[in-house]
Amino acid sequence: MSEDRKPFCEEEYLDCDRKRYPILNVLCRFWEKEVPLRALADTGCDSGIVLLKEEVQILKEKIVGFALGEKINDEPIEISVADGHIVGADAYLVIIELGGEQREVDLLVVDSDNIIRKETEEKKEKEDIFPLVGRNFLNHFDVLFKGKEKKLAVFK
Amino acid sequence: MVAYSPEEEEIYKKVTGKKLNHRYIGQSTNLTLPPEMDYFLEKVLGTFPKYSPSINERLESLEVRVRKLEEEKSPQKNSKEITQADLVYEIYREELEKEHFGRVVAIDTDSGTIAGIGNNILEAYKDARRKSKNKKFSFKRIGYPFICRLR
């Protein structure tokens, strides 16, 4: 990445339980409602935002008239979670705003109660061979992880 | 001295169809088991005679083992219901995995076709919207059993 490029957004790593996380504060637009959300800038998932079904429920309780964006899947999307289960998720189209820049991203709402199956040992071995795919915010922006400065810099 | 009870011998005979040759095993500190009984107790009953479990304890451990086996074999957890999208994907699997491994497909289940392909859900969706009148699709990552992994 060229040194003279200037980031349009910089965020310090978030301290949590003595660990630092590359978290971005984004403004998420659900229809007419704008909701500030935290999003992990990391590889491992290609969606811009991931929410749990329970978090959506909280948003619905807190914000009058809250509704998610346009749903784009008909069958549940299969997501692998850390405990080895494959759970179902729904994808919605939403507009996010980061440092004044707007992008259309897909938002995944993970339903941890909808267990589709459990990964078998054989499949786990297979996954170890394949690298994790998906780029999260890296799909939409260039993200520089400044480890020493404990900062995140986002470029157009 | 540790001896097998008549109940144990009876269960062993019922399950394996064989009669146990050994009436008793030596002292618990220096236990030598006939291999077939050792296997039977450990694999089927999930117990070991040197701990001298009672019949109730053995039944309990057997129930635990049955529950574990049922969980392992449960179709809800280890396998999923085959969906329309799975069937469509199967038709195109070879071609897709050869040319687009790791990318995401949007499947139009109504027409049974691959509507769009992209590097992520959004790209696949936009590609599919250009080619199909539908507004909802099924998404799969080519060559992977899931779209993405959350940690």
Side-chain angles (χ1 to χ4, degrees):
Chain A
M1 194 175 294
S2 162
E3 283 293 320
D4 33 317
R5 281 180 72 188
K6 284 188 179 174
F8 69 89
C9 172
E10 272 192 306
E11 299 250 13
E12 286 192 6
Y13 281 15
L14 184 78
D15 276 323
C16 188
D17 296 333
R18 295 180 184 175
K19 286 181 181 175
R20 293 190 177 87
Y21 296 94
I23 299 282
L24 288 168
N25 291 303
V26 298
L27 199 63
C28 209
R29 192 183 299 156
F30 300 96
W31 302 117
E32 290 90 30
K33 306 277 181 188
E34 288 186 337
V35 181
L37 289 174
R38 282 176 173 170
L40 184 72
D42 196 4
T43 56
C45 186
D46 69 346
S47 176
I49 307 273
V50 179
L51 291 177
L52 291 174
K53 195 179 159 191
E54 290 79 8
E55 290 176 309
V56 173
Q57 194 56 41
I58 292 168
L59 288 174
K60 281 180 180 172
E61 284 167 12
K62 283 187 175 177
I63 304 164
V64 180
F66 174 86
L68 289 164
E70 186 188 346
K71 190 179 165 186
I72 60 172
N73 63 301
D74 50 10
E75 289 173 9
I77 292 171
E78 293 171 4
I79 308 285
S80 165
V81 288
D83 70 351
H85 283 94
I86 306 277
V87 298
D90 288 327
Y92 297 84
L93 282 186
V94 292
I95 304 286
I96 57 144
E97 192 176 314
L98 180 67
E101 282 291 315
Q102 290 192 348
R103 292 285 189 283
E104 188 178 41
V105 302
D106 52 304
L107 174 142
L108 286 183
V109 178
V110 178
D111 181 1
S112 53
D113 294 329
N114 181 11
I115 297 172
I116 295 172
R117 66 176 179 275
K118 192 175 179 181
E119 288 179 62
T120 61
E121 289 303 315
E122 188 189 343
K123 278 178 182 167
K124 274 187 178 174
E125 281 170 23
K126 192 182 172 189
E127 280 157 32
D128 290 339
I129 301 165
F130 297 135
L132 284 174
V133 287
R135 299 161 62 83
N136 199 335
F137 275 97
L138 312 184
N139 272 332
H140 306 281
F141 306 106
D142 287 335
V143 184
L144 181 63
F145 299 87
K146 297 179 175 180
K148 283 184 183 173
E149 295 172 45
K150 297 159 195 164
K151 269 187 181 176
L152 262 175
V154 189
F155 301 83
K156 284 181 195 173
Chain B
M1 304 287 276
V2 178
Y4 296 119
S5 66
E7 289 91 349
E8 277 177 337
E9 286 188 16
E10 191 59 34
I11 295 169
Y12 179 80
K13 197 179 169 185
K14 272 185 188 171
V15 174
T16 63
K18 292 175 189 172
K19 198 179 172 186
L20 194 67
N21 294 323
H22 299 66
R23 277 298 301 169
Y24 76 94
I25 315 298
Q27 287 181 354
S28 58
T29 49
N30 188 21
L31 212 59
T32 50
L33 292 168
E36 70 272 22
M37 191 64 189
D38 187 7
Y39 178 84
F40 172 73
L41 287 171
E42 207 173 329
K43 298 290 177 188
V44 182
L45 286 182
T47 61
F48 204 69
K50 72 176 175 183
Y51 302 115
S52 301
S54 67
I55 290 290
N56 283 344
E57 284 172 331
R58 285 175 193 146
L59 281 173
E60 207 174 292
S61 79
L62 188 59
E63 280 169 9
V64 169
R65 182 147 181 83
V66 168
R67 272 202 300 275
K68 274 185 187 174
L69 285 169
E70 277 176 353
E71 274 177 23
E72 282 171 18
K73 297 288 174 193
S74 167
Q76 284 181 335
K77 288 197 172 178
N78 280 335
S79 63
K80 66 161 195 167
E81 208 175 298
I82 304 283
T83 61
Q84 190 67 28
D86 291 329
L87 296 174
V88 177
Y89 180 81
E90 256 335 291
I91 295 167
Y92 298 97
R93 175 194 286 276
E94 203 174 318
E95 186 188 335
L96 288 170
E97 291 188 359
K98 199 174 171 185
E99 293 177 18
H100 302 285
F101 192 90
R103 299 180 84 198
V104 174
V105 280
I107 298 166
D108 186 341
T109 49
D110 291 343
S111 62
T113 55
I114 301 294
I117 297 179
N119 291 323
N120 51 54
I121 294 173
L122 195 63
E123 278 186 26
Y125 176 73
K126 285 185 174 175
D127 189 33
R129 286 287 282 134
R130 281 193 289 271
K131 297 170 187 171
S132 171
K133 285 178 184 175
N134 269 4
K135 286 185 175 179
K136 287 181 180 175
F137 305 92
S138 292
F139 298 93
K140 291 197 172 293
R141 192 174 289 279
I142 301 163
Y144 288 79
F146 47 78
I147 283 271
C148 65
R149 167 175 278 183
L150 295 181
R151 288 167 287 171

